[in-house]
Amino acid sequence: EFLKAKKDFLNRYGNGESMFELAQRIYNLLDELKEQQDKTYILVAHNGIARVVNSYFYEMSNQEYAAFGVKNCAVVRYDF
């Protein structure tokens, strides 16, 4: 049920926020960090947040977005 729900970007799963709302919140944070390019940031996140961050930097299809994940303790670098 959860795997199906995470593909429905505008629908909330249970009492949580939708993927669309989550993306808005993370994109706003990344926009703020982008304005301060003289600093380096380390973001620690689970796969739900990691896929949003990745979609900020790279075009992804709905299927790629839903399937995206990083390995446990992986370090991924993104540059503005």
Side-chain angles (χ1 to χ4, degrees), residues 1-2 4-6 8 10-19 21:
E1 184 180 328
F2 173 74
K4 181 187 175 304
K6 76 177 187 176
D8 296 328
L10 296 176
N11 297 326
R12 291 182 177 92
Y13 180 73
N15 293 327
E17 62 189 347
S18 69
M19 288 297 212
E21 291 166 325

Side-chain angles (χ1 to χ4, degrees), residues 3-5 8 10 23 27 30-33 36 38 40-41 45 47-48 50 52 54 59 61 68 70 74 78:
L3 295 176
K4 181 187 175 304
D8 296 328
L10 296 176
Y27 279 26
L30 294 171
D31 284 343
E32 288 177 27
L33 298 180
Q36 302 174 33
D38 59 328
T40 299
Y41 296 93
N47 273 336
V52 176
N54 195 71
E59 295 290 326
S61 69
F68 182 83
V70 294
Y78 297 98

Side-chain angles (χ1 to χ4, degrees), residues 36-54:
Q36 302 174 33
Q37 288 193 28
D38 59 328
K39 297 181 181 179
T40 299
Y41 296 93
I42 297 175
L43 303 176
V44 179
H46 56 73
N47 273 336
I49 303 299
R51 77 176 45 92
V52 176
V53 172
N54 195 71

